[in-house]
Amino acid sequence: MSKDEYGVLLYYKFASITDLNSLFSFYHSNCNSLGLLGRVRLSPNGVNVTVGGLLSALEKHIEAVKSNSLFQGTDFKLASSHHPLNDKVAVECGFTSLSIRVVKELVTFSSYPLLNPPEVSNAGRHLSAAEFHSVLQSARMDFGQLMKNGSPTDDKQLVLLDARNLYETRIGKFHAPSVETLDPGIRQYSDLPSWIDDNSELLRGKHVLMYCTGGIRCEMASAYIRSKGAGFENVFQLYGGIQRYLEQFPDGGFFRGKNFVFDHRISVGSSDTSIMGACLICGSSYDNYSSRCRCTHCRILVLVCDSCQIKSDAYVCELCQKHRMDFGSIPSVEDGELATVLDKNDLKTVCSDSKISSQLPSRNAPRKLRILCLHGFRQNASSFKGRSASLAKKLKSIAELVFIDAPHELPFIYQSCTEAKNSCAPPSGQHAPPPENCKRKYAWSVASDFGGKVEADWKIANQPFDPLQYQGQTDGFDVSLAYLKKMFSEQGPFDGILGFSQGAAMAALLCAQGDKLKGEIDLRFVILCSGFALPLADFGQKPINCPSLHIFGSDPGKDRQITSHTSRYLASRFEDGCSVIIEHEFGHIIPTRSPYMDNIKDFLRRFL
């Protein structure tokens, strides 16, 4: 390679960095002096760098970085390439300027941003490109002997796991005979942990070979798999990723197609020119992402050939089609009928099987979060919706609130004539039907002696009325759980739940159920307002693993119904780093003024 050629340099390093300011100053000075463009990401846990410039400048940069003992053992991937053109690809990939940023994570590992990432020190064993190739070549028979992890008769099955996004795997992937390949088909890397959780049985007790573009994503993903304990110990990763493999095997080896890269090169292939990708619209062979066509709904990159781009600039990716996003359906037609059906003013999507399946109402309208709202004891959906009107209004750009009644209907009761001033309480001794303005009341959990029968007439309480009685009522959870499963099935999906008082206690119980509810009640987060922990066994077991926002009145006793230490205890039942707490100076309400509203929005935006 001529030193006057243009090139691209990629490297990452996981290490504990105590002085980020000093490292930031180094990169700012060094990269600017050498004329390097691209992305530098610094975090307390390491660095991730993709920069371009003259090869001579890049080599000087490598030498300067190596002089810092922090980078000992770093794998610097340097390749020659054409100079980036000043087009949207270069702009989108950050190769028209130098961007140096301090971030919390080098790569966002989880869609649940409040959860701690796995310990990279527990990552899977590195395999060189030659070792990785040999494992695939020998497949299952000699794997145990090669890894020195068992005898030649080791019967653990070998699986190949692609840790990349859907649009990357569509233009190239590994393929080895007799080896099962797992393609999660995810939109973004932060969706991978959820896929691993949902498909852990495909990995348990097996030798797992992982690969990605350059290696950094496998570091964290392999550590996450190994963190699952017994049965998940045998995880291995391709060191240096596909890039190092193609350097070692220029004919492609077991890799077919092109390696998608996150710089202006777009993709890098081998001497094998076969095309793996296909046009989303017509299905013809195609693997060029230079047009940067994106799904109108979720903005993921899609493959659309030149001729189909002329017909339309609005597309829906296969993931949105698969999950049948709520676009409003239109009749399907065969390929030969497209010319008469497609109108340039319509916004339609064409599936990979050449059938029109849906129609989008708005090209760039982002999807709002859908939040199921659970009211408190002796409330109902209508009253809770009224009390939450200000919250709904201020969240309308990012969230849709859906209100439902709890399944346990409660009887009308009153205590004495002193309560007669209440518009819903009849005079003492009078058993009259409730006035029209008395709405039915419901609960998520009830007293153990609750018979489930609701009488239309008013009843006098047979003992002093305890306004905090619901904190000790625990029966009816199974009924409420079955009811919520039905709501998720009929009205879902929902991104999260907002629970108020007893509704918050119910939502927390759902979180405590964990994997038991997978596929029936899937939650990305919960918002627990004036919440408390019901005295049930689920709260006495392991910490709850679900991103949560806890909102309650601050000391001393601002909320006279749910004390702050009660809500704080509920928050403590969630895993460390899994909960955010907002304390306010009001009572038994959800505050909607600043700064509380800003904090609520900040929490929700993490899930958009």
Side-chain angles (χ1 to χ4, degrees), residues 50 67 150 172 267 301 312 366 368 398 434 447 455 469 499 504 552 586:
T50 303
S67 65
S267 61
L301 285 171
S312 174
K368 294 181 181 180
I398 61 174
E455 298 180 14
Q469 60 175 298
F552 52 87
F586 307 106

Side-chain angles (χ1 to χ4, degrees), residues 248-468:
Q248 185 76 20
F249 299 94
D251 64 348
F254 287 106
F255 188 82
R256 303 288 185 266
K258 295 179 179 178
N259 179 28
F260 182 96
V261 293
F262 295 88
D263 57 64
H264 67 279
R265 294 174 297 170
I266 304 174
S267 61
V268 178
S270 64
S271 59
D272 181 0
T273 59
S274 59
I275 297 177
M276 293 289 294
C279 173
L280 176 72
I281 307 299
C282 66
S284 61
S285 295
Y286 191 75
D287 63 2
N288 186 0
Y289 279 118
S290 61
S291 62
R292 312 311 272 186
C293 293
R294 292 184 177 275
C295 172
T296 305
H297 182 66
C298 71
R299 307 306 295 163
I300 191 177
L301 285 171
V302 293
L303 289 168
V304 182
C305 69
D306 297 339
S307 59
C308 288
Q309 289 178 40
I310 297 173
K311 300 175 183 177
S312 174
D313 64 351
Y315 322 105
V316 176
C317 71
E318 56 192 278
L319 287 178
C320 287
Q321 297 174 36
K322 176 182 178 181
H323 296 292
R324 301 186 65 83
M325 307 302 286
D326 188 16
F327 301 144
S329 60
I330 59 175
S332 298
V333 294
E334 297 301 326
D335 188 50
E337 299 176 90
L338 287 177
T340 60
V341 174
L342 284 176
D343 182 271
K344 65 180 180 179
N345 295 318
D346 289 338
L347 200 55
K348 299 184 175 68
T349 178
V350 181
C351 299
S352 55
D353 63 355
S354 300
K355 292 185 179 182
I356 301 176
S357 64
S358 56
Q359 182 175 16
L360 283 169
S362 172
R363 178 174 179 182
N364 293 314
R367 187 182 75 86
K368 294 181 181 180
L369 297 172
R370 296 193 76 232
I371 304 175
L372 185 64
C373 299
L374 310 185
H375 59 72
F377 182 73
R378 285 197 174 275
Q379 296 180 355
N380 54 49
S382 177
S383 63
F384 189 36
K385 184 175 182 180
R387 295 183 64 181
S388 308
S390 177
L391 178 71
K393 182 177 180 180
K394 293 183 178 182
L395 292 178
K396 66 179 182 179
S397 63
I398 61 174
E400 173 194 359
L401 305 187
V402 179
F403 298 82
I404 59 172
D405 291 319
H408 301 288
E409 186 177 348
L410 302 177
F412 292 94
I413 63 172
Y414 67 98
Q415 187 167 335
S416 69
C417 60
T418 59
E419 304 294 331
K421 59 184 179 181
N422 187 316
S423 64
C424 289
S428 177
Q430 179 181 340
H431 294 259
E436 290 184 2
N437 63 339
C438 285
K439 303 298 183 182
R440 294 182 182 277
K441 310 295 183 181
Y442 302 90
W444 297 100
S445 55
V446 291
S448 57
D449 60 352
F450 178 70
K453 296 180 180 180
V454 180
E455 298 180 14
D457 290 344
W458 282 84
K459 296 195 305 182
I460 300 178
N462 56 12
Q463 60 186 4
F465 182 75
D466 179 7
L468 304 182

Side-chain angles (χ1 to χ4, degrees), residues 124-128 130-161 176 178-179 203 205-210 233-238:
R125 174 181 164 182
H126 287 162
L127 299 182
S128 68
E131 288 176 315
F132 191 85
H133 184 83
S134 296
V135 170
L136 293 180
Q137 198 166 40
S138 60
R140 178 176 169 179
M141 293 183 296
D142 299 327
F143 183 78
Q145 185 177 22
L146 181 65
M147 293 294 96
K148 297 180 180 179
N149 198 40
S151 67
T153 58
D154 190 345
D155 61 357
K156 288 186 174 64
Q157 184 181 350
L158 176 65
V159 294
L160 192 57
L161 176 58
S178 303
V179 178
L203 309 174
K206 300 178 181 178
H207 290 300
V208 181
L209 265 68
M210 301 185 66
E233 308 93 337
N234 299 300
V235 184
F236 307 87
Q237 54 178 311
L238 174 58

